[in-house]
Each structure stands twice: as structure tokens, then as C-alpha cells.
């Protein structure tokens, strides 16, 4: 952090102490006329449009920024190279702020040097951008907590605390180029590891990371549904012969859970008492329907509308020269610095509360879910 920035931050802190809640702090952006462009363009770089999450996040953010009077440039990318090109093009248009949900969190440093030169502020959206000083803020959900909720759900559903078991577990993790994936895995593994060590959870496929750091042993590149499906097919074909059944699948998110459920279905697993517990994340439409049909046990819902709202607040503070609210200044070290972050709380959704949580909040209409 530069000395100037530190001074600005402490001045802001003093000025805003009264207005700030106990668990959050603020950072001053001063005024933004220091060479930044006069436009009010906000660049939004999102990952694959084909993944429901990013499609929704992108259009929500675009919509609320426009409503607030900003011009926007929203781009989705299918590859790292495409995302870099999109970011370079956006920077050439002199935006005030760049909001980036990266495909590969380690690949954007060179592109962001240019942003810093042009005094374009950068907000990492949902996924941290690594190995660069040129990321100013990070807005996300508590990623470790997502995994912890999945792990705790499994412990509770299986009755592991009451000594039940052994159960057959198949663990999966997210894409190895996504900084969030190791947080999800660590959150879950910290909860499940004691039961693996005691033998109450066993992994017949042997795809069992010995520690949190070995999570890439079970990662699925690009969070692809088809890859998760074929990986699950392989595990079932090779290790679940002679009537052996899988009891629980740790899936880090919904795109993987979908492929895993398809694989189980193709091998004859049917919803009912013997159907495995499957975790998820995002409350994607197909998965929410699967939860209602007893083909997935839970999802960790991250109300991405609240993430968009938080980012809009950050953008406003930056552009209007206010203070940027953050509530975590220790967790997200990007290899270059700790990026001031705002973490939102994730929420477990099961069949019992699809209606109260997802429908009553307006995330889905009852109609859309066939309710
Ligand atoms: C997001 C998840 C999402 C995954 C795949 C992660 O970075 O935090 O919500 O399921 O990417 O798109």
C-alpha cells in the first residue's frame, strides 16, 4: 500500500468512524480528478456467459449501474486470452472503474498495469486477482464459509457426530485457475478431515487429498459439468462394482453437481433413501429443480444481487470521491498485497426452504420452479 493511500485511508477512517459499523471499515478514495477520464464508463469483465452464474451476475450489475446513471461496457469471455483482450479494449476507453470477475486470477497482471497507469480503479468481483498491486478492492462472498457450510451439512445429514459410518465419500473441487476454489475446498475439508482420519468417511476411488493443499488432485478445470460427469462415471465404473454404493459427494458448486447427478442417474441411482447426499453452490435453476426433485441435497446460495449492490456502492464511492466500505483486511493476500475486501454471507438452501429463501426473496418466481 502506498504511503499516500495509507494517509488517505486513515483520514477517511477518522472522518467516518461515527458512520461506520463495528465490523466494517471504510477507505477514502479522495477525489478522482487526478488524471482519470471525465467519462462515467464502468467496464465489466465477466467469465463465460454459458455458466448461469456469470450470465446473471453480468446482467444484474449492468442493469443497476445503468440505473445509477453510469455508462457500461459488459463483456463475457470464454477464454483467458479473450478476457485479456476485452480488458485491454476497455482500458483504452478510459473507464472510471473496471470490475473484473477473472477466468484465471493469475493472468491479468500485465493488462492491469495499463489500468494503473491510466488511474483506472480495479475491483475484483467474486474472484480475487493475484500477483499484482493493481487491484484496489475485492467484493465477494465468504468463500471459506461456503465450503464450511457444505462440510457441516454432510456431517449433520450423515450423523457423523453421533459416531455413524463408515460412509463412502467422493470429493470434488473447483477449477485450479480460480482463486476461490481452494477456499471452498479448505472450508469443507477442515470439517470433514477428522472423519476421514477416523475412518468414518472413506473414499473408495482413492481421490482423497491428504491435506487442503492437495485439493487440485480432485479439481475440475473450468468448472465444467461434462468433466464432472465423466469423472464421476469413471469413479463409479472403476470403484463401485459388486453393489458398492456412493453415500455422499462433496461438490463445490452447482455446475459440477449437475454432472455428478447425471452420472449417478445413468448408473441407476434413483431419488430415495439410497440416493447420495450431493452438495452444491449458487442455486442455479436446474439445480434448484433437482433439489425439489430430491436429486441434490442442498446448495449454498449466494444472492448475487447483494454482491452487485455492494459493487455499485464501491463504484459510487470511488467515482464520487467518498469512502469505500470494506469488512475484511486480512484474508485475501494476492501474493503482492492484502486486498481490502467486502465479504457477504452465503446461505444454505435445502428442499424445505426453497420457497422461503429463493422464492420469497424474488430470486426465482414460483412459476419458474414449477411450484
Ligand atoms: C464462484 C462460484 C461459481 C464458480 C463457477 C466461482 O468463482 O464463486 O459461485 O460456482 O466460480 O462459475
Amino acid at each position: 500500500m502506498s504511503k499516500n493511500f495509507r494517509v488517505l485511508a486513515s483520514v477517511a477512517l477518522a472522518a467516518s468512524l461515527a458512520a461506520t459499523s463495528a465490523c466494517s471499515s471504510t477507505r477514502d478514495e479522495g477525489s478522482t480528478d487526478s488524471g482519470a477520464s471525465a467519462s462515467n464508463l464502468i467496464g465489466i469483465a465477466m467469465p463465460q456467459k454459458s455458466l448461469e452464474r456469470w450470465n446473471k451476475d453480468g446482467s444484474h450489475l449492468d442493469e443497476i449501474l445503468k440505473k445509477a446513471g453510469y455508462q457500461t461496457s459488459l463483456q463475457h469471455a470464454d477464454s483467458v486470452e479473450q478476457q485479456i483482450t476485452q480488458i485491454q479494449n476497455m482500458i483504452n476507453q478510459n473507464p472510471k472503474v473496471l470490475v473484473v470477475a477473472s477466468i484465471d486470477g493469475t493472468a491479468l497482471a500485465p493488462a492491469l498495469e495499463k489500468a494503473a497507469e491510466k488511474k483506472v480503479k480495479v475491483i475484483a468481483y467474486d474472484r480475487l486477482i493475484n500477483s499484482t498491486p493493481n487491484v484496489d478492492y475485492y467484493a465477494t462472498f465468504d468463500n471459506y464459509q461456503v465450503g464450511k457450510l457444505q462440510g457441516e451439512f454432510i456431517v449433520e445429514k450423515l450423523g457423523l457426530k453421533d459416531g455413524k459410518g463408515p460412509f463412502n465419500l467422493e470429493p470434488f473441487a473447483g477449477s485450479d485457475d480460480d482463486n476461490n476454489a481452494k477456499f471452498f475446498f479448505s472450508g469443507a475439508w477442515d470439517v470433514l478431515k477428522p472423519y476421514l482420519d477416523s475412518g468414518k468417511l472413506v473414499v473408495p476411488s482413492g481421490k482423497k487429498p491428504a491435506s487442503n493443499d492437495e485439493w487440485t488432485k480432485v479439481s475440475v478445470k473450468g468448472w465444467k459439468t461434462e468433466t464432472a460427469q465423466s469423472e464421476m462415471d469413471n469413479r463409479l465404473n472403476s470403484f463401485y462394482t459388486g453393489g458398492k454404493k456412493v453415500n455422499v459427494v462433496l461438490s463445490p458448486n452447482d455446475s459440477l453437481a449437475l454432472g455428478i447427478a447425471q452420472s449417478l442417474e445413468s448408473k441407476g441411482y434413483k431419488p430415495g433413501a439410497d440416493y447420495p447426499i450431493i452438495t452444491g453452490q449458487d442455486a442455479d435453476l436446474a439445480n434448484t429443480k433437482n433439489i425439489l426433485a430430491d436429486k441434490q441435497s442442498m446448495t449454498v446460495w449466494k444472492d448475487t444481487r447483494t454482491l452487485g449492490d455492494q459493487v455499485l456502492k464501491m463504484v459510487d464511492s470511488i467515482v464520487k470521491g467518498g469512502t469505500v466500505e470494506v469488512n475484511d483486511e486480512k484474508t485475501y493476500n494476492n501474493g503482492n498485497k492484502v486486498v481490502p475486501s467486502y465479504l457477504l454471507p452465503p446461505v444454505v438452501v435445502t428442499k424445505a426452504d426453497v420457497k422461503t429463501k429463493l422464492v420469497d426473496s424474488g430470486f426465482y418466481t414460483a412459476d419458474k420452479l414449477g411450484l
Side-chain angles (χ1 to χ4, degrees):
M1 192 196 302
S2 77
K3 200 172 153 223
N4 268 353
F5 192 67
R6 221 187 278 276
V7 171
L8 284 174
S10 55
V11 169
L13 203 62
S16 63
L17 223 59
T20 312
S21 75
C23 65
S24 65
S25 65
T26 54
R27 296 185 154 242
D28 190 23
E29 274 301 330
S31 81
T32 50
D33 59 1
S34 48
S37 116
S39 85
N40 73 349
L41 181 69
I42 311 297
I44 311 168
M46 286 277 147
Q48 300 84 341
K49 202 170 184 172
S50 55
L51 287 174
E52 185 174 323
R53 218 222 98 187
W54 305 117
N55 195 353
K56 259 194 179 159
D57 283 52
S59 48
H60 175 67
L61 192 57
D62 191 54
E63 188 186 317
I64 58 174
L65 282 166
K66 279 186 179 140
K67 259 195 202 140
Y70 295 100
Q71 287 174 287
T72 59
S73 168
L74 166 64
Q75 308 271 333
H76 286 269
D78 286 319
S79 67
V80 185
E81 295 70 29
Q82 192 186 10
Q83 188 165 56
I84 291 172
T85 308
Q86 290 173 343
I87 289 173
Q88 284 165 341
N89 288 340
M90 285 181 199
I91 295 170
N92 286 339
Q93 295 173 53
N94 298 317
K96 285 278 195 210
V97 182
L98 208 52
V99 180
V100 181
S102 57
I103 292 183
D104 180 340
T106 60
L108 301 182
L112 295 185
E113 259 173 47
K114 191 85 182 152
E117 272 167 33
K118 291 195 158 201
K119 302 207 162 35
V120 177
K121 293 283 180 184
V122 176
I123 300 174
Y125 181 97
D126 196 85
R127 298 172 172 174
L128 188 59
I129 300 169
N130 285 310
S131 312
T132 171
N134 302 319
V135 49
D136 298 287
Y137 299 102
Y138 180 35
T140 192
F141 288 84
D142 187 335
N143 294 306
Y144 182 85
Q145 180 69 10
V146 169
K148 190 162 175 257
L149 291 172
Q150 294 167 339
E152 287 171 351
F153 182 89
I154 290 173
V155 168
E156 206 211 299
K157 282 288 153 199
L158 292 178
L160 290 170
K161 278 198 183 140
D162 304 328
K164 295 201 179 136
F167 296 104
N168 295 330
L169 163 75
E170 290 301 329
F172 286 75
S175 194
D176 60 4
D177 50 10
D178 179 345
N179 193 65
N180 288 349
K182 68 170 183 288
F183 283 91
F184 301 147
F185 189 79
S186 296
W189 221 233
D190 281 346
V191 176
L192 299 177
K193 186 80 180 5
Y195 301 102
L196 287 147
D197 292 344
S198 71
K200 291 296 182 185
L201 287 175
V202 291
V203 182
S205 70
K207 303 255 174 136
K208 175 177 137 182
S211 68
N212 294 359
D213 290 343
E214 278 193 17
W215 67 277
T216 51
K217 204 172 170 178
V218 290
S219 66
V220 172
K221 190 83 175 176
W223 297 93
K224 285 205 158 66
T225 300
E226 315 81 80
T227 313
Q229 180 169 359
S230 60
E231 170 64 18
M232 192 67 197
D233 283 349
N234 289 341
R235 294 193 201 180
L236 291 173
N237 287 337
S238 310
F239 304 100
Y240 289 83
T241 50
K244 196 192 271 283
K245 292 275 179 208
V246 58
N247 304 118
V248 51
V249 184
L250 171 68
S251 166
N253 88 331
D254 280 356
S255 61
L256 267 63
L258 205 59
I260 291 161
Q262 275 156 10
S263 168
L264 288 164
E265 211 163 330
S266 74
K267 300 285 173 237
Y269 285 81
K270 294 207 166 49
D274 293 336
Y275 194 80
I277 292 168
I278 309 178
T279 58
Q281 166 183 200
D282 292 334
D284 281 352
L285 181 60
N287 299 75
T288 306
K289 287 182 172 169
N290 267 2
I291 289 175
L292 292 171
D294 298 314
K295 291 181 186 172
Q296 183 172 322
S297 319
M298 60 92 84
T299 191
V300 179
W301 177 42
K302 305 192 296 192
D303 188 342
T304 48
R305 296 168 301 181
T306 60
L307 183 57
D309 296 346
Q310 199 60 42
V311 168
L312 172 59
K313 278 196 211 162
M314 282 184 169
V315 167
D316 269 343
S317 302
I318 293 170
V319 173
K320 294 173 186 159
T323 54
V324 176
E325 192 183 5
V326 295
N327 64 6
D328 183 296
E329 295 185 75
K330 62 177 196 314
T331 308
Y332 289 97
N333 188 327
N334 78 345
N336 188 286
K337 65 177 192 182
V338 174
V339 183
S341 308
Y342 195 97
L343 309 185
L344 290 156
V347 171
V348 170
V349 171
T350 62
K351 186 176 184 178
D353 45 28
V354 163
K355 185 175 174 307
T356 50
K357 290 183 181 159
L358 300 182
V359 177
D360 293 352
S361 70
F363 194 72
Y364 287 125
T365 59
D367 204 38
K368 194 139 194 167
L369 297 174
L371 288 173

